[in-house]
Amino acid sequence: MIGAALVFGLIVGGLLGLVGGGGSILAVPALVYGVGMPLSAAIPSSLVVVGASSTMAVLPRIRRDVDWRLALIIGATGGATAFAGTAVNQLLDQQVLLIVFAAIMVLAGIRMLLPVGSRAGHDYAADGTVIWRRRLPKAVATGVVVGFLTGLLGVGGGFLIVPALALILGLPMTMAVGTSLVIVVVNSIGGFISHIGSLDLDWGLTGAFAGTAMVASSIAGHIGRSLPERVLKRGFASLVFVVAAYVVLRVVLDF
């Protein structure tokens, strides 16, 4: 089990470091099927892994590639709504949650194959300054949706935050990735705190997974700057489709 945790930690951390998201939606199925954790333990464990590896991945970008105001707004609203997602999580069957996971992974893969714009011009004045009365409602709405999914599925949210920051809020892609990582850290902390009352983790497996993910995310963060964006997106999308198909197959076989 430790060996599997180390291998999957490299994959999850690598994805987070390369594209600012994606590792989070692989962490739960990796912990459930690869490491052998029950889903009830895999969700909070994934939040530890994602939060720790995202922290490492954002360090090289922290000075120039983070919009701290957006990170604060989306992170704060997301941290609050994570509790609502956790409450809903406790009402649903685990098999249903895994099917939801698969559907979200497919959507994430499709999103990665679509072109991403660099700016949303209607949020900017002629001199390039941000018009916050237009941007603020969209930032809050983004935080609400992403935070809810964080609590519901143990998803840090990067695969939703990056396109939202780039397409809806108008950030350049490099800044969208850096800002996404900060928000993922905040949402992961909020999601983890919301699970503390029912926490039952295998800290050895979680630590092994998180440790390798942190190392991989730090290295991948530097490598990602030299790789074409199209290559990263297509590779990530292909991997997500494979994992989604595997999750659906396992759910069907369990029925």
Side-chain angles (χ1 to χ4, degrees):
M1 293 298 180
I2 291 291
L6 296 175
V7 171
F8 285 114
L10 291 174
I11 296 172
V12 169
L15 281 173
L16 280 166
L18 287 172
V19 296
S24 50
I25 60 171
L26 297 177
V28 170
L31 287 166
V32 172
Y33 298 126
V35 181
M37 283 188 182
L39 185 60
S40 59
I43 288 178
S45 293
S46 75
L47 293 169
V48 173
V49 171
V50 170
S53 54
S54 296
T55 299
M56 293 299 295
V58 80
L59 291 179
R61 302 179 170 94
I62 205 164
R63 290 186 177 180
R64 294 181 298 176
D65 295 335
V66 176
D67 185 317
W68 288 100
R69 185 178 296 184
L70 278 178
L72 177 62
I73 293 169
I74 297 175
T77 53
T81 55
F83 288 89
T86 300
V88 175
N89 168 275
Q90 297 173 355
L91 301 175
L92 298 179
D93 182 82
Q94 291 193 358
Q95 302 283 22
V96 173
L97 288 177
L98 289 172
I99 289 294
V100 172
F101 239 127
I104 290 178
M105 281 190 282
V106 170
L107 293 175
I110 293 172
R111 191 277 301 171
M112 293 298 286
L113 295 176
L114 297 177
V116 177
S118 61
R119 293 180 72 83
H122 51 281
D123 278 354
Y124 293 85
D127 60 359
T129 59
V130 175
I131 305 173
W132 274 97
R133 68 177 182 274
R134 297 179 183 176
R135 173 174 280 188
L136 183 59
K138 293 184 287 187
V140 171
T142 299
V144 168
V145 173
V146 170
F148 181 82
L149 290 176
T150 298
L152 179 67
L153 300 171
V155 175
F159 74 101
L160 291 175
I161 297 170
V162 171
L165 290 171
L167 291 172
I168 300 173
L169 298 170
L171 294 189
M173 193 63 186
T174 53
M175 186 168 286
V177 170
T179 306
S180 168
L181 288 167
V182 173
I183 298 168
V184 166
V185 172
V186 174
N187 282 344
S188 296
I189 293 172
F192 182 78
I193 291 173
S194 69
H195 283 276
I196 283 182
S198 57
L199 204 60
D200 183 22
L201 298 186
D202 184 328
W203 286 105
L205 288 176
T206 302
F209 201 120
T212 54
M214 290 170 69
V215 173
S217 65
S218 179
I219 296 172
H222 293 284
I223 296 175
R225 295 179 178 179
S226 63
L227 293 178
E229 185 174 298
R230 183 179 300 177
V231 172
L232 295 177
K233 288 184 175 181
R234 288 181 176 177
F236 169 72
S238 300
L239 181 58
V240 162
F241 291 144
V242 170
V243 174
Y246 179 70
V247 169
V248 171
L249 179 62
R250 289 296 299 261
V251 170
V252 171
L253 291 177
D254 286 343
F255 278 118

Short mmCIF file of all heavy atoms in Angstrom, two decimals, residues 93-160:
data_model
loop_
_atom_site.label_atom_id
_atom_site.label_comp_id
_atom_site.label_asym_id
_atom_site.label_seq_id
_atom_site.Cartn_x
_atom_site.Cartn_y
_atom_site.Cartn_z
N ASP A 93 -25.20 8.22 -1.19
CA ASP A 93 -24.54 6.92 -1.28
C ASP A 93 -23.15 7.08 -1.90
O ASP A 93 -22.95 7.89 -2.81
CB ASP A 93 -25.40 5.98 -2.13
CG ASP A 93 -24.80 4.60 -2.24
OD1 ASP A 93 -25.00 3.80 -1.30
OD2 ASP A 93 -24.12 4.33 -3.24
N GLN A 94 -22.19 6.29 -1.45
CA GLN A 94 -20.82 6.39 -1.96
C GLN A 94 -20.74 6.09 -3.44
O GLN A 94 -19.96 6.69 -4.18
CB GLN A 94 -19.89 5.46 -1.17
CG GLN A 94 -19.68 5.90 0.27
CD GLN A 94 -18.53 5.16 0.94
OE1 GLN A 94 -17.90 4.30 0.33
NE2 GLN A 94 -18.25 5.50 2.17
N GLN A 95 -21.53 5.13 -3.91
CA GLN A 95 -21.51 4.81 -5.34
C GLN A 95 -22.00 6.00 -6.17
O GLN A 95 -21.49 6.27 -7.26
CB GLN A 95 -22.41 3.59 -5.61
CG GLN A 95 -22.00 2.34 -4.83
CD GLN A 95 -20.78 1.67 -5.43
OE1 GLN A 95 -20.01 2.30 -6.15
NE2 GLN A 95 -20.59 0.40 -5.15
N VAL A 96 -23.00 6.70 -5.65
CA VAL A 96 -23.50 7.89 -6.35
C VAL A 96 -22.41 8.94 -6.45
O VAL A 96 -22.21 9.57 -7.49
CB VAL A 96 -24.74 8.46 -5.63
CG1 VAL A 96 -25.16 9.79 -6.26
CG2 VAL A 96 -25.89 7.47 -5.68
N LEU A 97 -21.68 9.14 -5.35
CA LEU A 97 -20.60 10.13 -5.35
C LEU A 97 -19.52 9.78 -6.37
O LEU A 97 -18.97 10.67 -7.03
CB LEU A 97 -19.99 10.24 -3.95
CG LEU A 97 -20.86 10.91 -2.89
CD1 LEU A 97 -20.16 10.88 -1.54
CD2 LEU A 97 -21.20 12.34 -3.27
N LEU A 98 -19.20 8.49 -6.49
CA LEU A 98 -18.17 8.09 -7.44
C LEU A 98 -18.64 8.31 -8.88
O LEU A 98 -17.84 8.67 -9.76
CB LEU A 98 -17.79 6.63 -7.21
CG LEU A 98 -16.98 6.38 -5.93
CD1 LEU A 98 -16.82 4.88 -5.69
CD2 LEU A 98 -15.61 7.05 -5.99
N ILE A 99 -19.92 8.09 -9.15
CA ILE A 99 -20.45 8.37 -10.48
C ILE A 99 -20.38 9.87 -10.77
O ILE A 99 -20.02 10.30 -11.87
CB ILE A 99 -21.91 7.88 -10.60
CG1 ILE A 99 -21.96 6.35 -10.63
CG2 ILE A 99 -22.57 8.46 -11.85
CD1 ILE A 99 -21.32 5.74 -11.86
N VAL A 100 -20.70 10.69 -9.76
CA VAL A 100 -20.57 12.14 -9.91
C VAL A 100 -19.13 12.51 -10.21
O VAL A 100 -18.83 13.36 -11.06
CB VAL A 100 -21.07 12.87 -8.65
CG1 VAL A 100 -20.77 14.36 -8.73
CG2 VAL A 100 -22.57 12.66 -8.48
N PHE A 101 -18.21 11.84 -9.51
CA PHE A 101 -16.78 12.04 -9.75
C PHE A 101 -16.42 11.79 -11.20
O PHE A 101 -15.73 12.59 -11.85
CB PHE A 101 -15.98 11.07 -8.88
CG PHE A 101 -15.04 11.76 -7.95
CD1 PHE A 101 -15.09 11.46 -6.60
CD2 PHE A 101 -14.12 12.68 -8.40
CE1 PHE A 101 -14.23 12.09 -5.72
CE2 PHE A 101 -13.25 13.30 -7.53
CZ PHE A 101 -13.32 13.01 -6.19
N ALA A 102 -16.90 10.67 -11.72
CA ALA A 102 -16.58 10.31 -13.10
C ALA A 102 -17.12 11.35 -14.07
O ALA A 102 -16.43 11.74 -15.03
CB ALA A 102 -17.16 8.93 -13.42
N ALA A 103 -18.34 11.82 -13.83
CA ALA A 103 -18.94 12.83 -14.71
C ALA A 103 -18.13 14.12 -14.68
O ALA A 103 -17.88 14.74 -15.73
CB ALA A 103 -20.39 13.09 -14.29
N ILE A 104 -17.70 14.53 -13.50
CA ILE A 104 -16.92 15.76 -13.38
C ILE A 104 -15.56 15.60 -14.06
O ILE A 104 -15.05 16.53 -14.69
CB ILE A 104 -16.75 16.15 -11.90
CG1 ILE A 104 -18.10 16.61 -11.34
CG2 ILE A 104 -15.72 17.26 -11.74
CD1 ILE A 104 -18.07 16.98 -9.88
N MET A 105 -14.97 14.41 -13.96
CA MET A 105 -13.69 14.18 -14.61
C MET A 105 -13.82 14.29 -16.13
O MET A 105 -12.94 14.83 -16.81
CB MET A 105 -13.11 12.83 -14.20
CG MET A 105 -12.47 12.85 -12.83
SD MET A 105 -11.55 11.34 -12.44
CE MET A 105 -12.87 10.25 -12.02
N VAL A 106 -14.92 13.75 -16.68
CA VAL A 106 -15.13 13.85 -18.13
C VAL A 106 -15.26 15.32 -18.54
O VAL A 106 -14.66 15.76 -19.53
CB VAL A 106 -16.37 13.05 -18.55
CG1 VAL A 106 -16.73 13.36 -20.01
CG2 VAL A 106 -16.12 11.55 -18.38
N LEU A 107 -16.05 16.08 -17.77
CA LEU A 107 -16.20 17.50 -18.07
C LEU A 107 -14.86 18.23 -17.98
O LEU A 107 -14.56 19.11 -18.79
CB LEU A 107 -17.20 18.13 -17.10
CG LEU A 107 -18.65 17.67 -17.26
CD1 LEU A 107 -19.52 18.30 -16.16
CD2 LEU A 107 -19.19 18.04 -18.63
N ALA A 108 -14.06 17.85 -16.98
CA ALA A 108 -12.75 18.48 -16.83
C ALA A 108 -11.85 18.16 -18.02
O ALA A 108 -11.13 19.03 -18.53
CB ALA A 108 -12.09 17.99 -15.54
N GLY A 109 -11.90 16.91 -18.49
CA GLY A 109 -11.10 16.54 -19.65
C GLY A 109 -11.50 17.30 -20.90
O GLY A 109 -10.66 17.75 -21.67
N ILE A 110 -12.83 17.43 -21.10
CA ILE A 110 -13.32 18.19 -22.25
C ILE A 110 -12.87 19.64 -22.17
O ILE A 110 -12.44 20.25 -23.16
CB ILE A 110 -14.86 18.10 -22.32
CG1 ILE A 110 -15.28 16.66 -22.64
CG2 ILE A 110 -15.41 19.06 -23.37
CD1 ILE A 110 -16.77 16.42 -22.54
N ARG A 111 -12.97 20.21 -20.96
CA ARG A 111 -12.54 21.60 -20.77
C ARG A 111 -11.08 21.79 -21.12
O ARG A 111 -10.70 22.79 -21.74
CB ARG A 111 -12.80 22.00 -19.32
CG ARG A 111 -12.67 23.47 -19.01
CD ARG A 111 -11.25 23.93 -18.76
NE ARG A 111 -10.63 23.24 -17.65
CZ ARG A 111 -9.35 23.33 -17.35
NH1 ARG A 111 -8.54 24.05 -18.11
NH2 ARG A 111 -8.84 22.68 -16.32
N MET A 112 -10.25 20.81 -20.78
CA MET A 112 -8.82 20.94 -21.07
C MET A 112 -8.53 20.92 -22.57
O MET A 112 -7.50 21.40 -23.02
CB MET A 112 -8.05 19.83 -20.37
CG MET A 112 -8.05 19.91 -18.86
SD MET A 112 -7.29 21.42 -18.23
CE MET A 112 -5.56 21.05 -18.52
N LEU A 113 -9.44 20.36 -23.36
CA LEU A 113 -9.23 20.30 -24.81
C LEU A 113 -9.73 21.55 -25.53
O LEU A 113 -9.46 21.74 -26.71
CB LEU A 113 -9.95 19.07 -25.39
CG LEU A 113 -9.41 17.72 -24.92
CD1 LEU A 113 -10.26 16.59 -25.49
CD2 LEU A 113 -7.95 17.54 -25.32
N LEU A 114 -10.47 22.38 -24.80
CA LEU A 114 -11.01 23.59 -25.41
C LEU A 114 -10.01 24.74 -25.31
O LEU A 114 -9.24 24.81 -24.36
CB LEU A 114 -12.32 23.99 -24.72
CG LEU A 114 -13.47 22.98 -24.83
CD1 LEU A 114 -14.67 23.48 -24.03
CD2 LEU A 114 -13.86 22.76 -26.29
N PRO A 115 -10.03 25.66 -26.27
CA PRO A 115 -9.13 26.82 -26.19
C PRO A 115 -9.52 27.69 -25.01
O PRO A 115 -10.69 27.82 -24.66
CB PRO A 115 -9.35 27.54 -27.52
CG PRO A 115 -10.70 27.10 -27.97
CD PRO A 115 -10.86 25.69 -27.48
N VAL A 116 -8.51 28.30 -24.38
CA VAL A 116 -8.72 29.18 -23.23
C VAL A 116 -8.26 30.57 -23.59
O VAL A 116 -7.11 30.78 -23.97
CB VAL A 116 -7.94 28.67 -22.00
CG1 VAL A 116 -8.12 29.63 -20.83
CG2 VAL A 116 -8.41 27.28 -21.62
N GLY A 117 -9.15 31.54 -23.47
CA GLY A 117 -8.79 32.94 -23.73
C GLY A 117 -7.95 33.48 -22.59
O GLY A 117 -7.92 32.95 -21.50
N SER A 118 -7.29 34.59 -22.83
CA SER A 118 -6.40 35.16 -21.82
C SER A 118 -7.01 36.32 -21.04
O SER A 118 -6.55 36.64 -19.96
CB SER A 118 -5.11 35.64 -22.48
OG SER A 118 -5.40 36.64 -23.44
N ARG A 119 -8.08 36.98 -21.62
CA ARG A 119 -8.66 38.12 -20.93
C ARG A 119 -10.16 38.18 -21.17
O ARG A 119 -10.67 37.74 -22.18
CB ARG A 119 -8.03 39.44 -21.42
CG ARG A 119 -6.58 39.57 -21.05
CD ARG A 119 -6.04 40.89 -21.57
NE ARG A 119 -6.53 42.03 -20.83
CZ ARG A 119 -5.99 42.44 -19.69
NH1 ARG A 119 -5.00 41.80 -19.15
NH2 ARG A 119 -6.46 43.49 -19.07
N ALA A 120 -10.88 38.70 -20.20
CA ALA A 120 -12.30 38.99 -20.37
C ALA A 120 -12.42 40.51 -20.38
O ALA A 120 -12.48 41.15 -19.35
CB ALA A 120 -13.11 38.39 -19.22
N GLY A 121 -12.43 41.10 -21.59
CA GLY A 121 -12.27 42.53 -21.74
C GLY A 121 -13.31 43.37 -21.02
O GLY A 121 -13.04 44.49 -20.63
N HIS A 122 -14.54 42.83 -20.83
CA HIS A 122 -15.59 43.62 -20.22
C HIS A 122 -15.35 43.87 -18.74
O HIS A 122 -16.09 44.64 -18.12
CB HIS A 122 -16.95 42.94 -20.42
CG HIS A 122 -16.97 41.51 -20.02
ND1 HIS A 122 -16.47 40.50 -20.81
CD2 HIS A 122 -17.44 40.92 -18.90
CE1 HIS A 122 -16.64 39.33 -20.19
NE2 HIS A 122 -17.22 39.55 -19.05
N ASP A 123 -14.35 43.23 -18.12
CA ASP A 123 -14.01 43.48 -16.72
C ASP A 123 -12.94 44.57 -16.59
O ASP A 123 -12.51 44.87 -15.48
CB ASP A 123 -13.50 42.21 -16.04
CG ASP A 123 -14.65 41.32 -15.59
OD1 ASP A 123 -15.81 41.75 -15.69
OD2 ASP A 123 -14.38 40.20 -15.14
N TYR A 124 -12.49 45.12 -17.72
CA TYR A 124 -11.39 46.07 -17.71
C TYR A 124 -11.80 47.41 -18.32
O TYR A 124 -12.54 47.45 -19.31
CB TYR A 124 -10.18 45.51 -18.49
CG TYR A 124 -9.54 44.32 -17.83
CD1 TYR A 124 -10.04 43.03 -18.05
CD2 TYR A 124 -8.44 44.46 -16.99
CE1 TYR A 124 -9.45 41.93 -17.45
CE2 TYR A 124 -7.85 43.37 -16.39
CZ TYR A 124 -8.36 42.11 -16.62
OH TYR A 124 -7.79 41.03 -16.01
N ALA A 125 -11.31 48.47 -17.72
CA ALA A 125 -11.51 49.80 -18.29
C ALA A 125 -10.55 50.01 -19.45
O ALA A 125 -9.66 49.19 -19.70
CB ALA A 125 -11.28 50.86 -17.21
N ALA A 126 -10.69 51.13 -20.15
CA ALA A 126 -9.84 51.40 -21.31
C ALA A 126 -8.37 51.48 -20.95
O ALA A 126 -7.49 51.15 -21.75
CB ALA A 126 -10.30 52.70 -21.98
N ASP A 127 -8.07 51.93 -19.70
CA ASP A 127 -6.67 52.05 -19.29
C ASP A 127 -6.12 50.76 -18.71
O ASP A 127 -4.99 50.72 -18.22
CB ASP A 127 -6.51 53.18 -18.27
CG ASP A 127 -7.33 52.95 -17.00
OD1 ASP A 127 -8.04 51.92 -16.92
OD2 ASP A 127 -7.27 53.81 -16.10
N GLY A 128 -6.90 49.67 -18.76
CA GLY A 128 -6.43 48.38 -18.30
C GLY A 128 -6.70 48.06 -16.84
O GLY A 128 -6.42 46.96 -16.39
N THR A 129 -7.28 49.00 -16.09
CA THR A 129 -7.60 48.74 -14.68
C THR A 129 -8.86 47.88 -14.57
O THR A 129 -9.74 47.91 -15.44
CB THR A 129 -7.81 50.05 -13.90
OG1 THR A 129 -8.87 50.80 -14.52
CG2 THR A 129 -6.53 50.88 -13.90
N VAL A 130 -8.96 47.13 -13.49
CA VAL A 130 -10.08 46.22 -13.29
C VAL A 130 -11.31 47.00 -12.79
O VAL A 130 -11.21 47.85 -11.91
CB VAL A 130 -9.72 45.13 -12.27
CG1 VAL A 130 -10.93 44.25 -11.96
CG2 VAL A 130 -8.57 44.28 -12.79
N ILE A 131 -12.46 46.69 -13.38
CA ILE A 131 -13.73 47.26 -12.91
C ILE A 131 -14.32 46.27 -11.91
O ILE A 131 -14.98 45.29 -12.28
CB ILE A 131 -14.70 47.49 -14.08
CG1 ILE A 131 -14.05 48.36 -15.16
CG2 ILE A 131 -16.00 48.13 -13.58
CD1 ILE A 131 -14.88 48.48 -16.41
N TRP A 132 -14.11 46.52 -10.63
CA TRP A 132 -14.43 45.53 -9.60
C TRP A 132 -15.92 45.35 -9.39
O TRP A 132 -16.37 44.29 -8.94
CB TRP A 132 -13.72 45.87 -8.29
CG TRP A 132 -12.34 45.29 -8.28
CD1 TRP A 132 -11.19 45.93 -8.60
CD2 TRP A 132 -12.01 43.93 -8.02
NE1 TRP A 132 -10.14 45.05 -8.53
CE2 TRP A 132 -10.61 43.82 -8.17
CE3 TRP A 132 -12.74 42.80 -7.66
CZ2 TRP A 132 -9.94 42.62 -7.98
CZ3 TRP A 132 -12.08 41.60 -7.47
CH2 TRP A 132 -10.69 41.52 -7.63
N ARG A 133 -16.73 46.34 -9.71
CA ARG A 133 -18.18 46.15 -9.54
C ARG A 133 -18.70 45.10 -10.52
O ARG A 133 -19.77 44.50 -10.30
CB ARG A 133 -18.92 47.47 -9.72
CG ARG A 133 -18.90 48.04 -11.12
CD ARG A 133 -19.72 49.33 -11.20
NE ARG A 133 -19.76 49.88 -12.55
CZ ARG A 133 -18.84 50.69 -13.05
NH1 ARG A 133 -17.79 51.04 -12.30
NH2 ARG A 133 -18.95 51.15 -14.29
N ARG A 134 -17.98 44.86 -11.60
CA ARG A 134 -18.34 43.80 -12.55
C ARG A 134 -17.69 42.47 -12.17
O ARG A 134 -18.29 41.41 -12.34
CB ARG A 134 -17.92 44.19 -13.96
CG ARG A 134 -18.62 45.42 -14.51
CD ARG A 134 -18.11 45.73 -15.91
NE ARG A 134 -18.72 46.96 -16.45
CZ ARG A 134 -18.40 47.49 -17.61
NH1 ARG A 134 -17.46 46.91 -18.37
NH2 ARG A 134 -18.99 48.59 -18.02
N ARG A 135 -16.48 42.54 -11.69
CA ARG A 135 -15.74 41.31 -11.41
C ARG A 135 -16.16 40.65 -10.10
O ARG A 135 -16.20 39.42 -10.00
CB ARG A 135 -14.23 41.61 -11.37
CG ARG A 135 -13.39 40.44 -10.93
CD ARG A 135 -11.91 40.71 -11.03
NE ARG A 135 -11.44 40.55 -12.41
CZ ARG A 135 -10.16 40.58 -12.74
NH1 ARG A 135 -9.24 40.79 -11.84
NH2 ARG A 135 -9.80 40.42 -14.00
N LEU A 136 -16.49 41.45 -9.08
CA LEU A 136 -16.74 40.90 -7.75
C LEU A 136 -17.86 39.86 -7.71
O LEU A 136 -17.68 38.79 -7.12
CB LEU A 136 -17.04 42.03 -6.76
CG LEU A 136 -17.25 41.61 -5.30
CD1 LEU A 136 -16.02 40.89 -4.77
CD2 LEU A 136 -17.56 42.84 -4.45
N PRO A 137 -19.04 40.10 -8.33
CA PRO A 137 -20.09 39.07 -8.27
C PRO A 137 -19.67 37.75 -8.89
O PRO A 137 -20.01 36.67 -8.39
CB PRO A 137 -21.25 39.71 -9.05
CG PRO A 137 -20.99 41.17 -9.00
CD PRO A 137 -19.50 41.32 -9.01
N LYS A 138 -18.90 37.81 -9.99
CA LYS A 138 -18.44 36.58 -10.64
C LYS A 138 -17.42 35.86 -9.77
O LYS A 138 -17.40 34.62 -9.72
CB LYS A 138 -17.86 36.91 -12.01
CG LYS A 138 -18.90 37.42 -13.00
CD LYS A 138 -18.30 37.63 -14.38
CE LYS A 138 -17.42 38.84 -14.44
NZ LYS A 138 -16.97 39.15 -15.81
N ALA A 139 -16.57 36.62 -9.09
CA ALA A 139 -15.58 36.00 -8.20
C ALA A 139 -16.26 35.29 -7.05
O ALA A 139 -15.89 34.16 -6.68
CB ALA A 139 -14.62 37.07 -7.68
N VAL A 140 -17.28 35.93 -6.47
CA VAL A 140 -18.01 35.31 -5.35
C VAL A 140 -18.73 34.05 -5.81
O VAL A 140 -18.70 33.01 -5.14
CB VAL A 140 -19.01 36.32 -4.73
CG1 VAL A 140 -19.91 35.62 -3.72
CG2 VAL A 140 -18.26 37.47 -4.08
N ALA A 141 -19.41 34.11 -6.97
CA ALA A 141 -20.13 32.95 -7.49
C ALA A 141 -19.18 31.79 -7.77
O ALA A 141 -19.50 30.62 -7.48
CB ALA A 141 -20.89 33.33 -8.76
N THR A 142 -18.01 32.09 -8.30
CA THR A 142 -17.01 31.05 -8.56
C THR A 142 -16.59 30.39 -7.26
O THR A 142 -16.49 29.15 -7.18
CB THR A 142 -15.77 31.66 -9.25
OG1 THR A 142 -16.16 32.22 -10.50
CG2 THR A 142 -14.71 30.61 -9.48
N GLY A 143 -16.36 31.18 -6.23
CA GLY A 143 -15.97 30.62 -4.94
C GLY A 143 -17.04 29.74 -4.34
O GLY A 143 -16.74 28.67 -3.77
N VAL A 144 -18.30 30.14 -4.46
CA VAL A 144 -19.41 29.35 -3.90
C VAL A 144 -19.47 27.97 -4.55
O VAL A 144 -19.57 26.94 -3.86
CB VAL A 144 -20.74 30.10 -4.11
CG1 VAL A 144 -21.93 29.18 -3.80
CG2 VAL A 144 -20.80 31.33 -3.20
N VAL A 145 -19.41 27.92 -5.87
CA VAL A 145 -19.53 26.64 -6.59
C VAL A 145 -18.34 25.74 -6.30
O VAL A 145 -18.48 24.55 -5.98
CB VAL A 145 -19.65 26.88 -8.10
CG1 VAL A 145 -19.60 25.56 -8.86
CG2 VAL A 145 -20.95 27.61 -8.41
N VAL A 146 -17.13 26.28 -6.39
CA VAL A 146 -15.93 25.48 -6.18
C VAL A 146 -15.84 24.99 -4.73
O VAL A 146 -15.47 23.84 -4.49
CB VAL A 146 -14.67 26.29 -6.57
CG1 VAL A 146 -13.41 25.57 -6.14
CG2 VAL A 146 -14.65 26.54 -8.07
N GLY A 147 -16.18 25.84 -3.78
CA GLY A 147 -16.13 25.43 -2.39
C GLY A 147 -17.10 24.30 -2.08
O GLY A 147 -16.77 23.36 -1.35
N PHE A 148 -18.30 24.37 -2.65
CA PHE A 148 -19.29 23.31 -2.44
C PHE A 148 -18.76 21.97 -2.96
O PHE A 148 -18.88 20.94 -2.30
CB PHE A 148 -20.60 23.67 -3.13
CG PHE A 148 -21.68 22.64 -2.94
CD1 PHE A 148 -22.43 22.62 -1.78
CD2 PHE A 148 -21.93 21.69 -3.92
CE1 PHE A 148 -23.43 21.67 -1.60
CE2 PHE A 148 -22.92 20.74 -3.75
CZ PHE A 148 -23.67 20.73 -2.58
N LEU A 149 -18.17 21.98 -4.16
CA LEU A 149 -17.61 20.75 -4.72
C LEU A 149 -16.45 20.23 -3.89
O LEU A 149 -16.23 19.02 -3.80
CB LEU A 149 -17.17 20.98 -6.16
CG LEU A 149 -18.29 21.19 -7.19
CD1 LEU A 149 -17.70 21.51 -8.55
CD2 LEU A 149 -19.17 19.95 -7.27
N THR A 150 -15.70 21.14 -3.28
CA THR A 150 -14.59 20.72 -2.42
C THR A 150 -15.10 19.89 -1.25
O THR A 150 -14.56 18.83 -0.94
CB THR A 150 -13.84 21.95 -1.89
OG1 THR A 150 -13.28 22.66 -2.98
CG2 THR A 150 -12.71 21.54 -0.95
N GLY A 151 -16.13 20.36 -0.57
CA GLY A 151 -16.68 19.61 0.55
C GLY A 151 -17.38 18.35 0.12
O GLY A 151 -17.31 17.31 0.79
N LEU A 152 -18.08 18.39 -1.02
CA LEU A 152 -18.85 17.25 -1.48
C LEU A 152 -17.98 16.09 -1.94
O LEU A 152 -18.22 14.93 -1.61
CB LEU A 152 -19.77 17.68 -2.63
CG LEU A 152 -20.65 16.60 -3.26
CD1 LEU A 152 -21.69 16.11 -2.27
CD2 LEU A 152 -21.32 17.12 -4.53
N LEU A 153 -16.92 16.40 -2.70
CA LEU A 153 -16.17 15.36 -3.37
C LEU A 153 -14.68 15.32 -3.01
O LEU A 153 -13.95 14.50 -3.54
CB LEU A 153 -16.29 15.53 -4.89
CG LEU A 153 -17.71 15.45 -5.46
CD1 LEU A 153 -17.70 15.86 -6.92
CD2 LEU A 153 -18.25 14.04 -5.30
N GLY A 154 -14.25 16.18 -2.11
CA GLY A 154 -12.83 16.20 -1.78
C GLY A 154 -11.99 16.76 -2.90
O GLY A 154 -10.82 16.41 -3.04
N VAL A 155 -12.59 17.62 -3.73
CA VAL A 155 -11.90 18.20 -4.88
C VAL A 155 -11.36 19.57 -4.53
O VAL A 155 -12.11 20.43 -4.10
CB VAL A 155 -12.88 18.32 -6.08
CG1 VAL A 155 -12.22 19.03 -7.24
CG2 VAL A 155 -13.38 16.95 -6.48
N GLY A 156 -10.06 19.76 -4.73
CA GLY A 156 -9.49 21.06 -4.42
C GLY A 156 -10.00 22.17 -5.32
O GLY A 156 -10.02 23.32 -4.95
N GLY A 157 -10.40 21.82 -6.54
CA GLY A 157 -11.07 22.79 -7.39
C GLY A 157 -10.27 23.38 -8.52
O GLY A 157 -10.79 24.18 -9.28
N GLY A 158 -8.99 23.04 -8.65
CA GLY A 158 -8.16 23.67 -9.67
C GLY A 158 -8.68 23.48 -11.08
O GLY A 158 -8.56 24.38 -11.91
N PHE A 159 -9.27 22.33 -11.37
CA PHE A 159 -9.74 22.07 -12.73
C PHE A 159 -10.95 22.95 -13.09
O PHE A 159 -11.27 23.11 -14.25
CB PHE A 159 -10.09 20.60 -12.91
CG PHE A 159 -11.36 20.17 -12.24
CD1 PHE A 159 -12.54 20.03 -12.97
CD2 PHE A 159 -11.38 19.89 -10.90
CE1 PHE A 159 -13.71 19.64 -12.34
CE2 PHE A 159 -12.54 19.49 -10.27
CZ PHE A 159 -13.71 19.37 -10.99
N LEU A 160 -11.63 23.50 -12.09
CA LEU A 160 -12.69 24.48 -12.32
C LEU A 160 -12.18 25.91 -12.20
O LEU A 160 -12.61 26.80 -12.93
CB LEU A 160 -13.83 24.28 -11.31
CG LEU A 160 -14.67 23.02 -11.44
CD1 LEU A 160 -15.65 22.93 -10.29
CD2 LEU A 160 -15.41 23.00 -12.77
#
